[in-house]
Amino acid sequence: TIEHIFKEIFKASLELQEDDHRKALLVSRKKKPEDTVITLKGHQVGSGEPSFVFGPCAVESYEQVATVAKAIKDKGFKLMRGGAYKPRTSPYDFQGLGEEGLKILKQVADEYDLAVISEIVNPADVEMAAKYIDVIQIGARNMQNFELLKAAGAIDKPVLLKRGLAATIEEFINAAEYIMSQGNGNIILCERGIRTYEKATRNTLDISAVPILKKETHLPVMVDVTHSTGRRDLLIPTAKAALAIGADGVMAEVHPDPAVALSDSAQQMDLKQFDEFVKEVQPFSQQSGMRI
Amino acid sequence: TIEHIFKEIFKASLELQEDDHRKALLVSRKKKPEDTVITLKGHQVGSGEPSFVFGPCAVESYEQVATVAKAIKDKGFKLMRGGAYKPRTSPYDFQGLGEEGLKILKQVADEYDLAVISEIVNPADVEMAAKYIDVIQIGARNMQNFELLKAAGAIDKPVLLKRGLAATIEEFINAAEYIMSQGNGNIILCERGIRTYEKATRNTLDISAVPILKKETHLPVMVDVTHSTGRRDLLIPTAKAALAIGADGVMAEVHPDPAVALSDSAQQMDLKQFDEFVKEVQPFSQQSGMRI
Amino acid sequence: TIEHIFKEIFKASLELQEDDHRKALLVSRKKKPEDTVITLKGHQVGSGEPSFVFGPCAVESYEQVATVAKAIKDKGFKLMRGGAYKPRTSPYDFQGLGEEGLKILKQVADEYDLAVISEIVNPADVEMAAKYIDVIQIGARNMQNFELLKAAGAIDKPVLLKRGLAATIEEFINAAEYIMSQGNGNIILCERGIRTYEKATRNTLDISAVPILKKETHLPVMVDVTHSTGRRDLLIPTAKAALAIGADGVMAEVHPDPAVALSDSAQQMDLKQFDEFVKEVQPFSQQSGMRI
Amino acid sequence: TIEHIFKEIFKASLELQEDDHRKALLVSRKKKPEDTVITLKGHQVGSGEPSFVFGPCAVESYEQVATVAKAIKDKGFKLMRGGAYKPRTSPYDFQGLGEEGLKILKQVADEYDLAVISEIVNPADVEMAAKYIDVIQIGARNMQNFELLKAAGAIDKPVLLKRGLAATIEEFINAAEYIMSQGNGNIILCERGIRTYEKATRNTLDISAVPILKKETHLPVMVDVTHSTGRRDLLIPTAKAALAIGADGVMAEVHPDPAVALSDSAQQMDLKQFDEFVKEVQPFSQQSGMRI
């Protein structure tokens, strides 16, 4: 057993090195104790006030996006989402409008003075996309598409990184490190549910990930209540839980007419449900004195 | 394909029957739309005001339990937990004090006028236990120990039923139905985390289960923040999330000296942490105007 | 960091103790290097020759069991299964014939000279059941019903212990230790699939568990191909895989008329499928020179 | 309920369409009942004889690859693997030699007359890589990197597609469809373990996926025993199980000196273990009369 002790001493020194290594992560609080705050068209993400991101799953037309943009602006929000490149399980499902969709987003964003977030799926498209949109989203399926992470890290544009379907929190943090190691530290992390055996919800919202990510990193953390639950009836309660636990923001999908949506029709809110969502969630965040 | 249509018509009528069957569940909202409220030594669980259950993982001695009971009473709470029968992974780990532990719980509960919750693991012990304690707890490992469920359903004593380690919400609801079908409808459901691939927390708190259970059943729903996270640093944020999402109560473990606890020493709060927990969580539930 | 080194030295000595503890497990190979062989009416389980256990999910009538018993005997097998106590998700599903079912099993087993395996779910029934059956089965839902494990450990009758729905291999081994620590070392372990996100099969057969259990313990290991897959079309290939990887036996459900079965009708083989199963799997185990 | 019946009739016709859609999948057996056979330097994958793929996790040097290549050729095998682009959790881990690595693979493959399989991670690299290697591998993390799938589908080179970490079988089949829908039907599917709660193995080998994939598609199916188990001591038994259940081939990592490997050092076989593996697994596949 003396042999074992020596083996452990050796192991301990190895771990020390590893620990130093981890300490060195650019995204870690150990490296930078202050919160990273990201400013988007004047709105600050990560400053203590909750941020809200709304918009359709996929960009379908100018009219569709403009209708939602108007509702967002009317409620005083600043951030809009909309997918132009849609990663879909089947190659025969609607794949998004591509660059055309990005152009629509830019036009609408300019008209309504909103910052726009859209998913990019090919490293070759990152630079092009940066001309149209305010935040590059890297989706759950691409969380370990390291070439895409590196490409997003090489430009000067905020990145919203979603947690992978079955990614550990440690892998998620390392994925963010891929981006930051290329020079781009403007990263928003987004918990969007993980895959478990439970089928009552589309995914299982791992709410505890929020305080862990806030503790381990200096990055803003959002919760996507639409993809984590996949159920319209859970959007309001999970949004409250997300804000209560300390998330910097909430994402939810809004579509003028979900029934005819080209993707995810079952889980998007229509404009009336959007009203109700805001009426329920906004005062909650104020009354509960979040961050004060 | 006309054949297929007919097959589907047949299937649809089958499903209708099944749906009726589900409608018939005694624990369902369909059967009883009003919330079930359970009164424990004057305190109401499920009435809209959040309930808090504190206490040590295991009963170790009169002094240990009394110390915690005093702290609970001083803060104005009414519900205490403490394990006398401990289901442990290894047969060589501390198995609890058994009936002796229940006697200690009763003595302390009487002295401090608290209602006490304790886990019972053998159907043969249910009646005996009912003499000492106010709520029979059925633990996660026994959620589908149907003989135990039936025994708990046959007595006139509230039951706190924890969700199984890998139970679906549907299985959880059916386990409660086992109890109620024997005549006992005073059941508190308790979400305590599910087993997933993620290892940053002991289990993954399935926070969305709370609104689903509230919607599907008329029973009070609590969240055990200790067992779901297994991390002392997550107790406060997850308790806030639980209340924000609509849980009727929160359970958390408190021990006078966690370092020497005979079980789960790493995750129990000491009395100072307990103070801090209450100072953070209680005003949150008031300010956020929960249930008003 | 010198401090850290010392902490690690301390940790290492702790681990050494823990390792000794593990070494001490009665079910471990470290404790007893030779394979445990269990003899049932002359048939040896764990001796190197594969064992096969067939029979209906639930005992429904004398005729039903006798029909299957005859088919089993005609094929030269010795082990039959059949459930008299059925743990069912809903309290309104068929719960088994109880002691009446055990009597039927005994009568048929005597007539066809078979050894019979049946699940017991209440500690209070273990002694009674031992009069009727040759092997006490403890089912997946009760793998951590420690009172039941202790009761089964206190009698002189072999026990077939199924792995829990979401039990780790370590928990499974410790559950067996609960039985053996009471004095009963005649334990057969049974892998029956674990709960994962994949829904193409009822559970996910964790085939790697077989060699791990064979390495860590001295107990025979079987694979239940019916419950792990829940699909009749996968019984033959998974049985081959189980034998190829070193399982001591295979369990599969056979019912004279699955369509009218009172439980699990979709996954049981009828007698013709049973013929085919034996015709495919038996020669495979011989040709592949298993264990020779 | 008459209303419900009509709703179901409508739903049924929708499902009919969906079913037709699924029937139309190019990779499905419904579309093409005969097995797809892929010929690589004269060796046929999917013809009924098992295929074996060996080689180091990562290409480190000409000498390293050549040493393994010689061992492969000496044993009469034809297929070699080796990673030039390594997707690693941390950006600070060895990322592979890139095109330099592909050149080494090509040189060695030419010298030893082997076909070589290597992972490509960027759609922009697919065409370049096709000049050096015989099979483009798409790794688990990129199974739903649809841009990469499309790029691999657009060239005339076989593709080995690994199942994603937490991909359902249905998603896996659809990922293959992305490739085939671009014109390239020479696809080998590879089961490599899925992520579950069990930590005794690196991943959980989902052995049942093999017969399901063989039934649902016409593509050859391999099993990667190294990544599914992550344990050297399980390579031989799981390889036997894979062949017994009907896999068309087995992949395993071999390194001349695993202890100094730049990645995955704990799970690669050294040359002596490689000998033993072949000595155990090859006769098994012959004696068990696989496919005859």
Side-chain angles (χ1 to χ4, degrees):
Chain A
T1 66
I2 193 71
E3 184 187 0
H4 179 79
I5 298 282
F6 276 100
K7 223 170 91 189
E8 288 301 315
I9 293 176
F10 176 69
K11 233 174 76 187
S13 38
L14 273 180
E15 276 166 19
L16 276 173
Q17 291 183 311
E18 210 176 275
D19 199 47
D20 286 341
H21 184 68
R22 199 178 304 148
K23 220 176 293 175
L25 279 195
L26 300 170
V27 298
S28 69
R29 280 242 181 247
K30 282 181 193 160
K31 192 77 178 184
K32 170 170 174 280
E34 325 79 58
D35 286 340
T36 289
V37 176
I38 296 170
T39 304
L40 300 167
K41 296 226 172 153
H43 173 83
Q44 291 188 319
V45 177
S47 69
E49 287 292 298
S51 299
F52 291 93
V53 182
F54 299 107
C57 179
V59 173
E60 296 166 13
S61 69
Y62 169 81
E63 289 69 26
Q64 173 230 24
V65 178
T67 307
V68 176
K70 187 176 179 314
I72 291 171
K73 192 182 172 61
D74 286 352
K75 291 181 166 51
F77 299 116
K78 266 296 193 188
L79 312 179
M80 181 168 65
R81 56 148 291 143
Y85 298 91
K86 300 300 305 168
R88 303 299 299 276
T89 300
S90 161
Y92 308 120
D93 287 338
F94 175 59
Q95 307 273 313
L97 296 180
E99 189 168 354
E100 197 48 49
L102 298 181
K103 284 180 187 167
I104 291 173
L105 285 170
K106 176 156 181 48
Q107 185 185 347
V108 173
D110 286 349
E111 288 172 14
Y112 293 88
D113 192 30
L114 301 175
V116 75
I117 299 171
S118 197
E119 177 168 1
I120 300 305
V121 295
N122 194 328
D125 290 340
V126 169
E127 267 192 78
M128 172 274 288
K131 294 183 296 183
Y132 299 112
I133 59 181
D134 302 284
V135 180
I136 303 283
Q137 177 179 314
I138 294 181
R141 285 168 190 73
N142 282 316
M143 192 205 82
Q144 290 196 318
N145 179 343
F146 299 119
E147 298 306 306
L148 186 60
L149 296 174
K150 289 175 194 169
I155 61 162
D156 182 26
K157 196 57 116 177
V159 178
L160 185 140
L161 177 65
K162 290 205 167 181
R163 181 177 182 185
L165 229 60
T168 62
I169 291 173
E170 195 187 340
E171 289 167 346
F172 189 19
I173 291 173
N174 272 287
E177 184 73 9
Y178 263 95
I179 299 170
M180 194 156 179
S181 69
Q182 300 292 316
N184 184 356
N186 285 322
I187 304 163
I188 302 165
L189 301 175
C190 184
E191 158 66 27
R192 44 76 74 205
I194 59 173
R195 193 164 265 188
T196 72
Y197 69 86
E198 176 62 70
K199 297 296 155 186
T201 43
R202 181 167 159 179
N203 293 288
T204 297
L205 172 56
D206 181 8
I207 197 85
S208 316
V210 176
I212 296 174
L213 291 167
K214 292 297 295 176
K215 186 179 181 180
E216 299 288 333
T217 80
H218 50 75
L219 303 173
V221 178
M222 288 197 181
V223 171
D224 177 341
V225 292
T226 302
H227 288 94
S228 49
T229 65
R231 284 173 60 154
R232 238 182 248 123
D233 63 334
L234 298 181
L235 300 179
I236 291 172
T238 49
K240 289 181 180 177
L243 295 174
I245 209 167
D248 296 287
V250 165
M251 294 184 85
E253 289 183 1
V254 177
H255 190 285
D257 190 354
V260 303
L262 296 178
S263 58
D264 281 356
S265 69
Q267 67 192 22
Q268 304 190 57
M269 292 185 275
D270 64 23
L271 296 176
K272 202 166 143 274
Q273 290 157 338
F274 180 30
D275 279 354
E276 201 190 330
F277 180 93
V278 173
K279 230 171 277 172
E280 280 269 337
V281 176
Q282 218 173 22
F284 170 83
S285 73
Q286 288 156 0
Q287 284 164 32
S288 62
M290 229 133 316
R291 313 295 179 91
I292 302 182
Chain B
T1 67
I2 192 71
E3 184 189 0
H4 179 79
I5 297 281
F6 276 99
K7 223 169 89 189
E8 287 303 313
I9 293 176
F10 176 70
K11 232 175 75 188
S13 37
L14 274 179
E15 275 166 21
L16 276 173
Q17 290 183 312
E18 208 176 275
D19 199 47
D20 285 341
H21 184 69
R22 200 177 304 149
K23 220 177 292 174
L25 279 195
L26 300 170
V27 298
S28 69
R29 280 239 182 250
K30 282 180 193 161
K31 192 77 176 184
K32 170 170 173 281
E34 324 80 57
D35 285 341
T36 288
V37 176
I38 296 170
T39 305
L40 299 167
K41 298 225 172 154
H43 174 83
Q44 291 189 319
V45 177
S47 68
E49 287 294 298
S51 300
F52 291 92
V53 182
F54 298 108
C57 180
V59 173
E60 295 165 14
S61 68
Y62 169 82
E63 289 69 28
Q64 173 229 24
V65 178
T67 308
V68 177
K70 188 177 179 312
I72 291 171
K73 193 181 169 61
D74 286 353
K75 291 181 164 53
F77 298 116
K78 267 293 193 189
L79 312 180
M80 181 169 65
R81 56 147 293 143
Y85 298 92
K86 300 299 307 169
R88 303 297 299 277
T89 300
S90 162
Y92 308 121
D93 287 339
F94 175 58
Q95 307 272 314
L97 296 180
E99 190 169 351
E100 197 48 49
L102 297 181
K103 285 179 188 167
I104 292 173
L105 286 170
K106 175 157 179 49
Q107 186 186 347
V108 174
D110 285 348
E111 288 171 14
Y112 293 89
D113 192 30
L114 301 176
V116 75
I117 299 172
S118 196
E119 177 167 2
I120 301 304
V121 296
N122 194 328
D125 291 340
V126 168
E127 266 191 77
M128 173 274 289
K131 293 183 297 183
Y132 300 112
I133 58 180
D134 302 285
V135 179
I136 303 283
Q137 178 178 314
I138 294 180
R141 284 166 191 77
N142 282 315
M143 193 203 82
Q144 290 195 319
N145 179 344
F146 300 120
E147 298 305 306
L148 186 59
L149 297 174
K150 288 176 194 167
I155 60 163
D156 183 26
K157 195 61 114 177
V159 178
L160 185 140
L161 177 66
K162 290 205 167 180
R163 182 179 182 182
L165 232 60
T168 62
I169 292 173
E170 195 187 339
E171 289 167 346
F172 190 18
I173 291 173
N174 272 287
E177 184 73 8
Y178 263 94
I179 299 170
M180 193 156 181
S181 68
Q182 300 293 316
N184 185 354
N186 285 321
I187 304 162
I188 301 165
L189 301 175
C190 184
E191 160 65 26
R192 44 78 72 207
I194 58 173
R195 193 164 264 186
T196 71
Y197 69 86
E198 176 61 70
K199 298 295 154 187
T201 43
R202 180 166 161 182
N203 293 287
T204 297
L205 172 56
D206 180 10
I207 197 83
S208 315
V210 176
I212 296 174
L213 291 169
K214 292 297 294 177
K215 186 179 181 181
E216 299 288 333
T217 79
H218 51 75
L219 303 172
V221 178
M222 288 197 180
V223 172
D224 177 340
V225 292
T226 302
H227 288 94
S228 50
T229 65
R231 285 174 61 153
R232 238 183 249 121
D233 64 332
L234 297 181
L235 300 179
I236 291 172
T238 49
K240 288 181 181 176
L243 295 174
I245 210 167
D248 296 287
V250 164
M251 294 184 85
E253 289 184 359
V254 177
H255 190 285
D257 190 355
V260 302
L262 295 178
S263 59
D264 280 358
S265 69
Q267 66 192 23
Q268 304 190 57
M269 294 185 274
D270 64 23
L271 295 176
K272 202 166 144 274
Q273 289 157 340
F274 180 30
D275 279 353
E276 200 189 329
F277 180 93
V278 173
K279 229 171 277 171
E280 280 268 337
V281 176
Q282 216 173 24
F284 171 83
S285 73
Q286 289 156 0
Q287 283 164 32
S288 62
M290 230 136 314
R291 311 296 181 92
I292 304 180
Chain C
T1 67
I2 193 71
E3 183 189 2
H4 180 79
I5 298 280
F6 276 99
K7 220 169 92 189
E8 288 302 315
I9 293 176
F10 176 69
K11 230 174 77 189
S13 37
L14 273 180
E15 276 166 20
L16 277 173
Q17 290 183 311
E18 208 178 276
D19 200 45
D20 285 341
H21 185 69
R22 200 177 303 147
K23 221 177 291 171
L25 280 194
L26 300 170
V27 298
S28 69
R29 280 241 181 249
K30 281 181 192 158
K31 192 78 176 181
K32 170 170 174 278
E34 325 80 56
D35 285 340
T36 289
V37 176
I38 296 170
T39 305
L40 299 168
K41 297 225 173 154
H43 174 82
Q44 291 188 319
V45 176
S47 68
E49 287 293 298
S51 299
F52 291 93
V53 182
F54 299 108
C57 179
V59 173
E60 295 165 13
S61 69
Y62 169 82
E63 290 69 27
Q64 174 230 23
V65 178
T67 307
V68 176
K70 188 177 178 312
I72 291 171
K73 193 182 169 60
D74 286 353
K75 291 181 164 54
F77 298 117
K78 267 295 192 187
L79 311 179
M80 181 168 65
R81 56 149 290 143
Y85 297 92
K86 301 299 305 167
R88 303 299 298 278
T89 299
S90 163
Y92 307 121
D93 287 337
F94 176 58
Q95 306 273 315
L97 296 180
E99 190 169 353
E100 197 49 48
L102 297 181
K103 284 181 187 167
I104 291 173
L105 285 170
K106 175 154 180 51
Q107 185 185 347
V108 173
D110 285 348
E111 288 172 14
Y112 292 89
D113 193 29
L114 301 176
V116 74
I117 298 171
S118 196
E119 177 167 2
I120 301 304
V121 295
N122 194 327
D125 290 340
V126 168
E127 266 192 78
M128 173 274 290
K131 292 185 296 184
Y132 299 113
I133 58 180
D134 302 284
V135 180
I136 303 283
Q137 177 179 313
I138 293 179
R141 283 167 192 75
N142 282 314
M143 193 204 82
Q144 290 195 320
N145 179 343
F146 299 121
E147 299 306 305
L148 186 58
L149 297 173
K150 288 175 193 169
I155 61 163
D156 182 26
K157 196 59 117 179
V159 178
L160 185 141
L161 177 65
K162 290 204 167 181
R163 181 177 183 185
L165 231 61
T168 62
I169 290 173
E170 195 187 339
E171 289 168 344
F172 191 16
I173 291 173
N174 271 288
E177 185 72 9
Y178 262 94
I179 299 170
M180 194 157 180
S181 68
Q182 300 292 317
N184 185 356
N186 284 321
I187 304 162
I188 301 165
L189 301 175
C190 183
E191 158 66 27
R192 46 74 75 205
I194 59 173
R195 193 164 265 186
T196 72
Y197 68 86
E198 176 62 68
K199 297 295 155 188
T201 44
R202 181 166 158 181
N203 292 288
T204 297
L205 172 57
D206 180 9
I207 197 83
S208 315
V210 176
I212 296 174
L213 291 168
K214 293 297 295 176
K215 188 179 180 180
E216 299 288 333
T217 80
H218 51 76
L219 302 173
V221 179
M222 288 198 180
V223 172
D224 177 341
V225 292
T226 302
H227 289 94
S228 50
T229 65
R231 284 173 59 155
R232 238 182 248 120
D233 63 333
L234 297 181
L235 300 179
I236 291 172
T238 50
K240 289 181 180 176
L243 296 173
I245 210 167
D248 296 287
V250 164
M251 294 184 86
E253 289 183 359
V254 176
H255 190 285
D257 189 355
V260 301
L262 295 178
S263 59
D264 281 358
S265 68
Q267 66 193 22
Q268 305 190 57
M269 294 186 273
D270 63 23
L271 296 175
K272 203 167 143 273
Q273 289 157 339
F274 180 29
D275 280 354
E276 202 191 327
F277 180 93
V278 173
K279 229 172 276 172
E280 279 268 339
V281 175
Q282 216 173 24
F284 171 83
S285 73
Q286 289 156 0
Q287 284 164 34
S288 61
M290 231 135 314
R291 312 292 180 93
I292 304 181
Chain D
T1 67
I2 193 70
E3 185 189 359
H4 179 79
I5 297 281
F6 277 99
K7 222 170 90 189
E8 288 302 314
I9 293 175
F10 175 69
K11 233 176 74 187
S13 38
L14 274 180
E15 276 166 21
L16 276 173
Q17 289 183 314
E18 209 177 276
D19 198 48
D20 286 341
H21 185 68
R22 197 177 306 148
K23 220 176 293 175
L25 279 196
L26 300 170
V27 297
S28 69
R29 281 245 180 245
K30 281 180 193 159
K31 191 77 176 185
K32 170 170 173 280
E34 323 80 58
D35 286 341
T36 288
V37 177
I38 296 169
T39 304
L40 299 168
K41 297 229 173 148
H43 173 82
Q44 290 188 319
V45 176
S47 69
E49 287 293 299
S51 300
F52 292 92
V53 182
F54 299 108
C57 179
V59 173
E60 295 166 12
S61 68
Y62 169 81
E63 290 69 26
Q64 172 230 25
V65 178
T67 307
V68 176
K70 189 178 176 313
I72 291 171
K73 192 183 171 61
D74 286 353
K75 291 180 165 52
F77 298 116
K78 266 297 193 187
L79 311 180
M80 181 167 66
R81 56 148 290 142
Y85 297 92
K86 301 298 306 169
R88 304 299 298 278
T89 300
S90 163
Y92 308 120
D93 287 337
F94 175 58
Q95 307 273 313
L97 297 180
E99 188 168 353
E100 197 48 49
L102 297 181
K103 284 179 185 165
I104 291 174
L105 285 171
K106 175 157 180 50
Q107 186 186 346
V108 174
D110 285 349
E111 288 171 15
Y112 292 89
D113 193 30
L114 301 176
V116 75
I117 299 172
S118 197
E119 177 167 2
I120 300 305
V121 295
N122 193 329
D125 290 339
V126 168
E127 267 192 77
M128 172 275 287
K131 292 183 298 183
Y132 298 113
I133 58 180
D134 302 284
V135 179
I136 303 282
Q137 177 179 313
I138 294 180
R141 283 167 192 75
N142 283 314
M143 193 204 82
Q144 290 195 319
N145 179 343
F146 299 120
E147 298 307 304
L148 186 59
L149 296 174
K150 289 176 195 169
I155 61 163
D156 182 25
K157 195 58 111 176
V159 178
L160 184 140
L161 177 66
K162 290 206 166 180
R163 182 178 181 183
L165 232 59
T168 63
I169 292 174
E170 195 186 340
E171 288 167 346
F172 190 18
I173 291 173
N174 271 287
E177 185 74 8
Y178 262 93
I179 299 170
M180 194 157 181
S181 69
Q182 300 292 317
N184 184 355
N186 285 321
I187 304 162
I188 301 166
L189 301 175
C190 184
E191 159 65 27
R192 45 77 73 207
I194 59 173
R195 192 163 265 188
T196 72
Y197 69 86
E198 175 61 68
K199 297 296 155 186
T201 43
R202 181 167 161 180
N203 293 288
T204 297
L205 171 57
D206 180 9
I207 197 83
S208 315
V210 176
I212 296 174
L213 291 168
K214 292 297 294 178
K215 187 178 179 179
E216 299 289 332
T217 80
H218 50 74
L219 303 172
V221 178
M222 288 197 180
V223 171
D224 177 340
V225 291
T226 301
H227 289 93
S228 49
T229 66
R231 285 174 60 154
R232 241 183 244 120
D233 64 333
L234 296 181
L235 301 180
I236 292 173
T238 49
K240 288 180 180 177
L243 296 174
I245 210 167
D248 296 288
V250 164
M251 294 185 85
E253 288 184 0
V254 177
H255 190 286
D257 190 355
V260 302
L262 296 179
S263 59
D264 280 357
S265 69
Q267 65 191 23
Q268 304 190 56
M269 294 184 274
D270 64 22
L271 296 176
K272 203 167 143 273
Q273 290 157 337
F274 180 29
D275 279 355
E276 202 190 328
F277 180 93
V278 173
K279 229 172 278 172
E280 280 269 339
V281 176
Q282 217 173 25
F284 171 84
S285 74
Q286 288 157 1
Q287 283 163 32
S288 62
M290 229 133 317
R291 313 296 180 92
I292 302 180

